[in-house]
Amino acid sequence: MSEAQLVEALTAPHKLQYTYKRSVGPVMGRFFTALRDEGKILGVRREDGSVMCPPKEYDPDTAAAISEMVEVGPGGEVVSWAWVSEPRAKQPCDRPFAYALIKLDGADTPLLHAIDCGREDAIRTGMRVTAKLADERVGHITDIRCFEPEA
Amino acid sequence: MADEKGPVEIVQTPVELDYTYTAGQAATRFLKGVEQGKFLGQRCPVDGLVYVASRGSSPKHGVPTGPDTVEVSDKGTLISFSIVRIPSANLSVEPPFAAISVLLDGADSHLMHVLDECPLEEVRMGMRVEAVWLPKDQWTASMQNVTHFRPTGEPDAPFDSYKDHL
């Protein structure tokens, strides 16, 4: 085909969406229900007495069913983080923020969430942060709007 | 508050990806034809088969189709179908409906569309169908110009006339 016969190719926006729904089960169900209705963050106690948050239905070492829920947070410590300098539309903050693993007070495992602290040099591993709840809570992890540096 | 809503059992976790789709030469030619109310195909230079819409190459012989376009009819024969009964958020048509493969007159490849104006129990292979176009002033370079296909009322095409295209 010669150059002269080439047409200018059409382009169009194409949005690919998967509208997944996840069944949360009894333990995560209590986590989300307490978050929505009471603004509390719950962990689950393992057989050895340690606490997992986010909670799971089974002990990862012994596979025993576990269901004793304990309140953790809302404060905690940054275990690890990654800076997001150009947030995308569906990400938790509309300005640059950090995705971070946060070990909440009373928990022994970290929770992945967003830290809204404005600037990259305002975050460091080991810093104290606290959960900010969303004004309208629906039973979703976004009921914690974000974490912020502790005052 | 807790009593009214009941425990949380389901969370929605939608995944969304935004692309810019580029049609390329072959599909652009096809869509520019659709913009003028025509179905344009391209011929394989080896066996002469007409592909609508052409992907730009012959799947049988691995050579470019064209360069000339071939206009085919907007009438054709329904050669396969499936009744869709399961709703999905991305469907623009309310189930149940018939998703059909149409072999347009003059084409050797089929295209997928929706059959309407026909009871589902009457949908059958060999049925003669035609494209229903939007009003001309609403045409764009999009297959959405064709709202659906409908039966023409002609006698069914004999099986032998399309058996090589199944």
Side-chain angles (χ1 to χ4, degrees):
Chain A
M1 194 181 296
S2 74
E3 285 291 321
Q5 291 171 307
L6 290 177
V7 292
E8 188 174 342
L10 295 169
T11 62
H14 176 66
K15 184 172 281 192
L16 182 63
Q17 281 178 305
Y18 301 100
T19 53
Y20 288 118
K21 285 181 181 172
R22 180 183 161 195
S23 184
V24 291
V27 173
M28 287 303 286
R30 284 164 70 192
F31 172 86
F32 286 119
T33 305
L35 187 57
R36 181 191 64 189
D37 297 343
E38 302 169 71
K40 289 180 179 174
I41 306 172
L42 299 184
V44 67
R45 195 179 299 285
R46 291 172 59 180
E47 289 194 308
D48 66 2
S50 66
V51 172
M52 283 191 297
C53 181
K56 296 187 185 302
E57 283 175 52
Y58 297 96
D59 188 300
D61 288 333
T62 67
I66 46 176
S67 61
E68 184 196 344
M69 308 297 284
V70 292
E71 188 177 350
V72 298
E77 185 182 309
V78 175
V79 174
S80 178
W81 55 275
W83 191 250
V84 181
S85 51
E86 292 174 29
R88 308 186 70 159
K90 294 288 172 113
Q91 285 181 327
C93 301
D94 54 13
R95 61 173 186 163
F97 70 100
Y99 273 125
L101 290 171
I102 300 157
K103 198 159 80 176
L104 292 166
D105 297 338
D108 297 281
T109 59
L111 171 82
L112 175 67
H113 217 290
I115 296 178
D116 186 12
C117 59
R119 290 169 22 191
E120 187 173 2
D121 60 10
I123 187 171
R124 59 188 164 74
T125 299
M127 83 185 285
R128 297 280 309 165
V129 291
T130 193
K132 291 290 165 196
L133 297 179
D135 296 334
E136 271 184 53
R137 300 197 298 270
V138 296
H140 196 275
I141 192 62
T142 51
D143 288 357
I144 303 174
R145 194 176 65 75
C146 65
F147 283 78
E148 289 179 351
E150 220 167 56
Chain B
M1 199 171 172
D3 299 337
E4 293 165 23
K5 291 182 179 171
V8 177
E9 294 175 344
I10 301 275
V11 291
Q12 295 202 0
T13 56
V15 172
E16 193 176 300
L17 300 167
D18 281 313
Y19 290 97
T20 300
Y21 174 75
T22 300
Q25 290 293 310
T28 294
R29 283 165 201 275
F30 172 77
L31 290 170
K32 282 184 182 291
V34 171
E35 192 172 23
Q36 291 164 26
K38 297 182 220 174
F39 289 133
L40 299 180
Q42 285 194 317
R43 201 179 289 281
C44 169
V46 179
D47 60 17
L49 294 185
V50 174
Y51 292 93
V52 183
S54 172
R55 296 277 183 182
S57 63
S58 160
K60 259 188 196 165
H61 296 101
V63 295
T65 51
D68 299 328
T69 52
V70 182
E71 184 177 347
V72 302
S73 176
D74 68 351
K75 284 186 191 175
T77 301
L78 189 164
I79 60 169
S80 184
F81 67 95
S82 178
I83 308 298
V84 179
R85 299 181 184 278
I86 298 170
S88 171
N90 64 343
L91 290 179
S92 54
V93 188
E94 276 292 304
F97 65 88
I100 61 169
S101 269
V102 183
L103 183 66
L104 295 171
D105 295 344
D108 295 292
S109 68
H110 58 93
L111 57 85
M112 296 288 300
H113 219 288
V114 169
L115 184 73
D116 202 354
E117 303 184 45
C118 176
L120 293 178
E121 55 276 16
E122 288 180 18
V123 182
R124 61 195 180 273
M125 291 168 71
M127 191 176 214
R128 295 286 298 158
V129 294
E130 65 188 355
V132 178
W133 297 78
L134 284 175
K136 196 170 181 176
D137 59 3
Q138 294 174 36
W139 286 355
T140 60
S142 162
M143 268 307 276
Q144 287 174 356
N145 289 3
V146 177
T147 60
H148 60 279
F149 277 74
R150 69 180 168 207
T152 63
E154 298 165 89
D156 284 5
F159 183 71
D160 282 349
S161 69
Y162 60 87
K163 69 175 174 19
D164 294 334
H165 293 92
L166 293 176

